[in-house]
Amino acid sequence: MACISPDGSPTETGTRMLRALSSGLGYPEEIAQDTGIPLFRVRSGLRELNKAGLASQNNDRHEITEKGAKLIE
Amino acid sequence: MEEINKQIISLPRLGEPAPGFEAITTDGVLKLEDYKGGWLILFSHPADFTPVCTTEFIAFAEIYPELQKRGVELLGLSVDSVSSHIAWVRNVEEKTGVKIPFPIIADLDKEVSMLYGMIHPGQSKTETVRCVFIIDHNQIIRAILYYPLTTGRNMDEIIRIIDCLQTTDEHRVATPANWQPGEEVIIPQPATQEGAEERLKQDYECIDWYLCKKKL
């Protein structure tokens, strides 16, 4: 259930997490609650999204980046 | 004089922080800290596509909903590759209809296995034995089980240990032999003479001052 496919596009789980970030949710716990994705998968997924430049982290809060937002338009 | 070169490995112990790791799994890269705040059962199996392990994985999948009710996640491990894990869980689903709902670490370099003392050369120099590490929400090791290669694990006992530990944490009690939820629990024994005398005056079911039980 990784969030990024080998071709660099978000997987179904990655897309759900990007949508959650886009709706203003920023903490792993609230993303897990909103999406139903287990917390450990949200945490590892956010790491992947951050690494791919689709999300960014400020302290414990995460935000979708412009690049991430374009992918779920 | 012949030099004897022995590697001394410190094994994780009860009450100590679980060793941190970052590992490649069937769900991507996972770190121990990803599980913080919830309970985790980290367990190893000798190899994919082997008979006892297959029965165990089906059994772990069957108790997964019960574990989730208790806030517990499962994380498997063997020294096989991710491709092997994926092929095996797909085969299990195809042949038995059981979907494996939890990730499995592909510990090809044995990094996590060595960290947790999962390889017992007397049993096998290349495969992990059947270990179970129960790790709590603070990432402290609360229980460790080791089973030999030929003995499949008892899932009822694993759930029972979780119930015992969570009941102990919530109510500050201990649990007697073969305890099951709903049964009487043991009140921690008094540490002073005064406490012992007072204990017998209280409305508990006591064999003597050091063994008193109550219903929760």
Side-chain angles (χ1 to χ4, degrees):
Chain A
M1 203 183 286
C3 284
I4 307 291
S5 302
D7 67 2
S9 63
T11 60
E12 188 188 324
T13 303
T15 302
R16 281 165 67 197
M17 286 177 51
L18 285 174
R19 289 195 194 288
L21 289 170
S22 176
S23 74
L25 301 177
Y27 293 100
E29 292 78 5
E30 56 189 19
I31 294 170
Q33 193 169 11
D34 181 72
T35 60
I37 300 168
L39 182 56
F40 74 91
R41 286 187 165 125
V42 170
R43 285 173 174 154
S44 67
L46 285 169
R47 261 200 316 275
E48 277 187 64
L49 295 176
N50 289 340
K51 199 173 166 187
L54 306 182
S56 63
Q57 184 177 358
N58 187 5
N59 293 322
D60 290 339
R61 200 170 196 290
H62 298 259
E63 284 178 357
I64 192 165
T65 61
E66 208 173 301
K67 186 179 169 187
K70 276 184 187 166
L71 289 175
I72 56 166
E73 275 174 1
Chain B
M1 196 171 136
E2 192 181 334
E3 193 178 322
I4 298 170
N5 186 14
K6 278 189 177 173
Q7 191 182 7
I8 298 170
I9 299 166
S10 174
L11 300 179
R13 287 182 286 201
L14 300 185
E16 293 181 352
F21 59 80
E22 179 174 328
I24 296 169
T25 80
T26 48
D27 276 9
V29 175
L30 291 175
K31 295 182 179 185
L32 174 66
E33 66 201 50
D34 292 335
Y35 291 91
K36 207 163 190 175
W39 288 59
L40 172 66
I41 295 177
L42 171 64
F43 69 98
S44 57
H45 67 280
D48 298 344
F49 293 102
T50 52
V52 178
C53 301
T54 302
T55 65
E56 287 189 315
F57 262 62
I58 292 168
F60 272 119
E62 285 170 350
I63 66 164
Y64 188 61
E66 280 301 315
L67 293 173
Q68 285 200 302
K69 283 182 200 167
R70 293 157 172 82
V72 183
E73 286 293 344
L74 281 170
L75 177 58
L77 176 151
S78 80
V79 298
D80 298 290
S81 66
V82 165
S83 300
S84 171
H85 288 333
I86 291 171
W88 183 41
V89 298
R90 285 173 64 89
N91 183 258
V92 169
E93 185 174 1
E94 184 191 324
K95 301 294 181 190
T96 70
V98 177
K99 193 175 180 66
I100 304 302
F102 48 83
I104 311 167
I105 293 175
D107 198 31
L108 282 171
D109 59 6
K110 300 189 177 78
E111 202 176 313
V112 183
S113 310
M114 296 304 281
L115 209 52
Y116 279 79
M118 291 169 164
I119 293 179
H120 295 202
Q123 283 271 296
S124 169
K125 288 184 173 65
T126 56
E127 299 169 317
T128 45
V129 294
R130 302 181 196 285
C131 302
V132 178
F133 288 86
I134 298 180
I135 299 167
D136 73 12
H137 57 293
N138 292 319
Q139 310 227 289
I140 300 295
I141 296 178
R142 300 294 298 276
I144 303 173
L145 303 171
Y146 288 107
Y147 284 63
L149 296 177
T150 52
T151 306
R153 283 162 277 208
N154 185 319
M155 301 299 146
D156 291 339
E157 176 62 359
I158 290 171
I159 291 179
R160 197 189 77 87
I161 295 172
I162 294 283
D163 285 336
C164 289
L165 290 168
Q166 293 187 343
T167 299
T168 293
D169 286 358
E170 189 180 350
H171 300 282
R172 295 186 176 199
V173 293
T175 50
N178 300 321
W179 181 83
Q180 294 289 343
E183 295 177 357
E184 288 184 323
V185 296
I186 293 174
I187 304 155
Q189 68 187 70
T192 61
Q193 172 68 17
E194 184 185 11
E197 286 170 13
E198 281 178 8
R199 176 61 54 85
L200 291 172
K201 292 176 195 162
Q202 290 165 320
D203 190 23
Y204 296 132
E205 181 196 318
C206 293
I207 303 291
D208 205 339
W209 63 273
Y210 64 88
L211 177 48
C212 295
K213 294 181 184 177
K214 69 173 182 180
K215 279 271 185 197
L216 288 175

